[in-house]
Amino acid sequence: MNTYGERNPQAFASGQAVGSCFTQPLGQMRRGSVGRILAVSGGASDRDVERGLLEMGFVEGARVEVLHHGFLGQDPLAVRINQTMTIALRRCEANAVLVGPLHESAMDAKPELTLEYASS
Amino acid sequence: MTAITLANGEVRLARIALVGPPNSGKTTLFNTLTGGRQKTGNYPGVTVERKSGRLRTPVGHTVELLDLPGSYSLRARSPDEAITRDVVLGRQAREALPDAVVCVTDATNLSQHLRLLLELRQLGRPLILALNMMDIAQKRGCQISIEALSQQLGIPVVSTVAMHKNGVQDLLGQIDTLLSQIPAASRAAVIDAWVEPSPEAIRAYHREVERLLREAVIQEGTPERLTRRLDQILLHPVVGPLILLGLLFLMFQAVFNWAAAPMDWIDGGMASLQQWLSAHMTESLLKSLVIDGLIAGVGGVVIFLPQILILFLFILLLEDFGYMARAAFLMDRLMSAVGLNGRAFIPLLSSFACAIPGIMAARTIAHPLDRLTTILIAPLMTCSARLPVYVLLISAFIPNTTVWGGIGLQGLVMFGLYATGIVGALVVAGVLRLTLLRGNRQPLLMELPSYKWPNPANVLLGLLERARIFMRRIGTIILSVMVVLWFLASFPSAPQGATEPAIYYSFAGMIGHGLQPLLAPIGFNWQIAIALVPGLAAREVAVAALGTVYALSGDEGAVSDALATTLAHDWTLATALALLAWYVFAPQCLATLAAARRETNSWRWPTFMFVYLMILAYLAAFITYRLALALGGG
């Protein structure tokens, strides 16, 4: 059901959304948007950030939802993981997490149908 | 039978360690299991609190239960988590490898919490998994097969409801079963095989957790809604910070208004004790020591217990409620502007009660530079020991009027003093991070736990602990300082035909006079100079010392007069304001320096702390005094 492992390492290295317009770093996600983690990487030099993120539940395949932004500079972010745990992190670290659409099959579908916005 | 017998014939109490991620309800479980039979101490070399307690199992074993600091992983990222790792691995000095480990997890958050259990299972030691908060999980419609989980993991699994005494019966039963098997298994002194998990290993643990949950979870619960709704208000970009500010303001108003009545009772009690003693004791040196030294001195400090307890009540309630992490979230950006971490907010907030628990709480900050900066500025947060000085001077010199519709002017001045300390701390932190403590910004990765009603027993135990620490300080440091001060203030006695009060001729008077030229530019008289010396030992002693100085130097009537009235006559407004400014920055008590030494493992940083605070205090007092004089406050 869930996919683990780095699906798209190149996307990471370049820091760009690759393949489709709705693949983006967690730090760029709008408040209220939902997605599924495609890859977690602090870069080759900083595996501690990667480990820290993994230990707090940011793992490939997990569902993430951006709940809140800080009041200054929209930093830090409060992110709900798998609907069970909310983690606060700064935009800078959040950018080490690459997020894709929530539904696997939606990868090839129309982007506007795949990004689920929590309206409440 | 209360102890267990090991295979080698050794008979001793069984030792069990309680391990779990933060917010798993571990402390509540510990409190329920051990009740009041708890002991708190420190691990040697660090100030990480060592909490242990005793429990009796149904069979009759007495077990020493160790509550280890909350940890997400054995890969420790902070000194706190390092203790957990070292104890579990048997590497902690003077702490034997536990006979068994109970891993506490939040049943509503197993997908995140089971990873720690898997790390522990890897060690191959006796282990029990406690699924805590099962009642909440069930309320949300979540069904977990304990048998399936136990079978898959190959270890005993029990459900617990830590809030209730009978919610822990299964756990106690399992502990008994495990203890009956221990003598054969418990030999290893240290576990050498452990290595830090790599990112790949953590991913593998994640996969294993997912597999386990597929096997054991019969029905997934509905996600919690209340926390989300509350957060929409409490973390709102505009409303959130306003609520935080309002809470802090309410806290300080409460410290003043609610504490007034119990403080009057203590004051009244001390006064009648003093009267009774002066009526029933014969004139002697001992009488002077007891009445002028001990009761005047110690009584002047005990009176602040209600305020300290109210402040801690707020902090403990907010922490238990889950709000503290939100406060850190709201403050992070502001604090990162001066190179600090949002996590530093909690230690700094604790420092408003006392810098020592604040400095100790800084150990939850993983990065050494962040941590050191937090420790160094912690004393700038106005601790409750400074309250006595503030309260005394404000009530003596600031009129008790209201401004702006109901806000007391006295409370407002107090708020200003706190604000000055905070701004000062931010500036110092910013300067430190640009100069001495330059380094990279550290990541913030912090759980925002679900809100829950504070547990009255937890809060009560926490408050009792604070009261105990405060009273112990009164019984030790403060009491002995008061005796020394009384001696200094009483000897040598005044010569025949002396024109000045007796204390003028004493050792204390000599020290005061010696310091006066140094302190005259900032408007301090010799009485203040005398009080500042013992004030270095513990800040609140300064008030007690002033009490002693004025009680001994005034006429008979001055003893019964309120100290505030005496000061209002004796000092100018400029002097009072200068002393207030001095105390915003004043060098901290010896106990704070000692705590900083333990935390930083050298005298270098406490020395630096002392010097920079002394310089700031002198400058602040100088500017305030000169400004007040220029504005006609002389």
Side-chain angles (χ1 to χ4, degrees):
Chain A
M1 171 174 80
N2 291 333
T3 1
Y4 288 97
E6 294 181 29
R7 294 170 49 101
N8 224 336
Q10 291 87 6
F12 235 95
S14 62
Q16 295 289 314
V18 169
S20 57
C21 59
F22 43 83
T23 299
Q24 57 185 333
L26 180 60
Q28 306 303 314
M29 282 171 75
R30 283 201 274 164
R31 200 154 72 86
S33 52
V34 181
R36 203 170 284 288
I37 296 178
L38 297 178
V40 179
S41 161
S45 62
D46 201 350
R47 299 218 88 184
D48 263 4
V49 169
E50 182 181 351
R51 280 202 284 197
L53 286 165
L54 286 167
E55 278 166 359
M56 296 308 277
F58 291 95
V59 67
E60 288 81 2
R63 176 194 192 273
V64 284
E65 177 178 0
V66 179
L67 290 184
H68 305 281
H69 284 151
F71 66 103
L72 286 175
Q74 306 210 332
D75 202 18
L77 291 78
V79 179
R80 191 99 172 131
I81 303 175
N82 284 336
Q83 312 211 31
T84 54
M85 186 158 149
T86 309
I87 303 293
L89 77 170
R90 292 191 185 137
R91 199 170 287 278
C92 159
E93 280 81 47
N95 282 336
V97 178
L98 189 67
V99 181
L102 188 60
H103 302 293
E104 191 78 2
S105 56
M107 279 295 273
D108 310 311
K110 284 187 195 165
E112 56 269 28
L113 291 178
T114 57
L115 260 185
E116 178 185 290
Y117 287 94
S119 49
S120 62
Chain B
M1 154 173 121
T2 58
I4 54 166
T5 312
L6 301 186
N8 60 8
E10 186 192 345
V11 179
R12 59 163 173 78
L13 291 186
R15 285 184 296 256
I16 294 182
L18 219 48
V19 181
N23 310 307
S24 57
K26 184 172 59 66
T27 302
T28 312
L29 186 62
F30 177 75
N31 287 341
T32 307
L33 285 170
T34 60
R37 293 156 295 177
Q38 297 183 8
K39 252 185 6 193
T40 28
N42 281 313
Y43 290 101
V46 285
T47 42
V48 175
E49 215 167 57
R50 181 191 187 276
K51 257 172 85 179
S52 69
R54 288 199 174 169
L55 68 89
R56 188 170 273 260
T57 64
V59 172
H61 287 300
T62 302
V63 173
E64 196 199 358
L65 192 67
L66 194 60
D67 186 18
L68 292 176
S71 187
Y72 290 102
S73 159
L74 286 184
R75 185 181 75 93
R77 283 180 294 168
S78 66
D80 234 12
E81 295 179 342
I83 289 286
T84 301
R85 178 199 60 203
D86 289 346
V87 171
V88 164
L89 296 178
R91 294 177 183 176
Q92 179 63 38
R94 279 190 266 163
E95 189 80 75
L97 184 71
D99 296 311
V101 169
V102 174
C103 179
V104 189
T105 54
D106 176 357
T108 65
N109 195 9
L110 283 184
S111 61
Q112 303 301 338
H113 282 184
L114 276 185
R115 222 163 43 248
L116 176 66
L117 175 98
L118 293 179
E119 281 190 51
L120 289 168
R121 193 183 60 163
Q122 200 81 345
L123 304 178
R125 300 276 306 152
L127 180 66
I128 299 175
L129 168 62
L131 301 179
N132 202 13
M133 306 192 208
M134 267 306 256
D135 50 337
I136 299 174
Q138 278 161 357
K139 248 180 241 159
R140 292 197 205 144
C142 174
Q143 282 180 50
I144 302 165
S145 164
I146 288 177
E147 296 75 29
L149 200 54
S150 174
Q151 202 181 0
Q152 290 290 327
L153 286 168
I155 59 164
V157 179
V158 292
S159 74
T160 51
V161 180
M163 297 273 215
H164 305 292
K165 198 94 195 155
N166 51 9
V168 297
Q169 287 311 316
D170 285 354
L171 178 58
L172 289 175
Q174 280 302 339
I175 288 176
D176 263 335
T177 313
L178 209 62
L179 286 185
S180 62
Q181 302 156 0
I182 275 177
S186 181
R187 293 276 181 73
V190 183
I191 298 170
D192 289 319
W194 184 81
V195 285
E196 273 197 3
S198 63
E200 288 67 33
I202 302 171
R203 284 189 174 90
Y205 283 133
H206 268 290
R207 278 194 293 274
E208 173 68 2
V209 167
E210 189 147 299
R211 189 191 67 79
L212 284 168
L213 291 182
R214 266 201 305 273
E215 297 286 337
V217 173
I218 303 162
Q219 172 94 52
E220 282 200 42
T222 50
E224 208 242 355
R225 291 269 155 219
L226 182 67
T227 296
R228 280 187 72 137
R229 267 187 234 139
L230 275 176
D231 272 344
Q232 277 172 359
I233 302 162
L234 294 176
L235 295 184
H236 187 276
V238 180
V239 182
L242 289 178
I243 292 177
L244 175 61
L245 205 65
L247 268 174
L248 293 179
F249 193 77
L250 175 79
M251 195 156 117
F252 293 128
Q253 287 284 325
V255 162
F256 281 88
N257 297 332
W258 302 358
M263 288 171 78
D264 282 346
W265 302 335
I266 297 176
D267 199 28
M270 285 294 170
S272 28
L273 184 65
Q274 221 164 7
Q275 270 172 1
W276 187 84
L277 281 175
S278 50
H280 288 80
M281 282 177 82
T282 48
E283 285 300 326
S284 66
L285 264 181
L286 184 68
K287 180 178 177 179
S288 167
L289 172 65
V290 170
I291 293 175
D292 296 323
L294 296 188
I295 299 182
V298 172
V301 183
V302 173
I303 196 166
F304 297 102
L305 184 63
Q307 289 187 329
I308 289 172
L309 290 185
I310 288 176
L311 196 66
F312 269 116
L313 178 68
F314 266 88
I315 289 178
L316 289 169
L317 282 176
L318 289 178
E319 189 138 35
D320 237 30
F321 181 60
Y323 184 75
M324 281 305 198
R326 269 75 184 182
F329 177 84
L330 290 170
M331 296 302 292
D332 181 67
R333 186 57 204 260
L334 208 63
M335 299 184 65
S336 72
V338 294
L340 279 173
N341 196 298
R343 276 173 194 273
F345 183 72
I346 297 165
L348 292 180
L349 194 61
S350 308
S351 301
F352 282 114
C354 177
I356 297 163
I359 286 173
M360 284 164 65
R363 60 186 183 232
T364 57
I365 301 169
H367 192 257
L369 287 183
D370 275 9
R371 193 162 155 257
L372 189 54
T373 314
T374 309
I375 290 173
L376 286 175
I377 64 168
L380 284 173
M381 301 295 124
T382 300
C383 69
S384 50
R386 256 174 288 192
L387 276 176
V389 183
Y390 288 0
V391 174
L392 178 73
L393 295 182
I394 285 176
S395 58
F397 290 93
I398 309 294
N400 189 12
T401 51
T402 53
V403 286
W404 300 335
I407 298 174
L409 181 63
Q410 293 187 335
L412 208 62
V413 169
M414 183 69 71
F415 194 69
L417 292 171
Y418 275 84
T420 311
I422 296 168
V423 172
L426 292 180
V427 171
V428 170
V431 170
L432 282 177
R433 290 314 297 263
L434 287 175
T435 54
L436 282 175
L437 304 177
R438 205 187 299 215
N440 288 335
R441 245 171 47 124
Q442 285 307 300
L444 168 91
L445 269 172
M446 177 180 65
E447 184 179 354
L448 302 176
S450 294
Y451 292 110
K452 61 180 174 57
W453 284 114
N455 179 319
N458 279 357
V459 174
L460 194 70
L461 280 172
L463 269 185
L464 283 176
E465 179 68 17
R466 299 302 152 200
R468 208 176 54 82
I469 291 171
F470 183 70
M471 295 308 283
R472 196 175 54 198
R473 287 188 71 200
I474 288 182
T476 53
I477 302 178
I478 296 176
L479 187 72
S480 42
V481 169
M482 291 333 294
V483 173
V484 171
L485 191 72
W486 170 83
F487 175 80
L488 290 178
S490 304
F491 297 97
S493 49
Q496 288 290 325
T499 47
E500 297 287 336
I503 194 170
Y504 190 86
Y505 305 97
S506 66
F507 292 122
M510 293 174 206
I511 297 172
H513 286 298
L515 284 175
Q516 208 199 353
L518 214 60
L519 297 176
I522 58 175
F524 291 3
N525 58 21
W526 62 270
Q527 287 94 336
I528 300 179
I530 293 175
L532 286 184
V533 176
L536 288 182
R539 287 189 187 94
E540 60 272 40
V541 175
V543 167
L546 278 175
T548 309
V549 168
Y550 276 101
L552 291 182
S553 69
D555 55 345
E556 282 299 311
V559 181
S560 52
D561 262 10
L563 185 58
T565 325
T566 315
L567 295 186
H569 284 300
D570 202 53
W571 296 359
T572 63
L573 179 63
T575 293
L577 292 179
L579 187 58
L580 281 176
W582 168 275
Y583 259 89
V584 170
F585 299 100
Q588 54 298 306
C589 55
L590 292 178
T592 303
L593 289 171
R597 201 212 82 84
R598 256 189 313 189
E599 290 293 333
T600 59
N601 248 328
S602 82
W603 276 112
R604 207 169 93 207
W605 292 111
T607 309
F608 173 77
M609 194 166 166
F610 182 83
V611 171
Y612 101 78
L613 286 170
M614 187 69 103
I615 293 170
L616 277 186
Y618 196 89
L619 282 178
F622 184 80
I623 293 168
T624 308
Y625 184 63
R626 294 293 150 186
L627 217 58
L629 279 187
L631 294 173

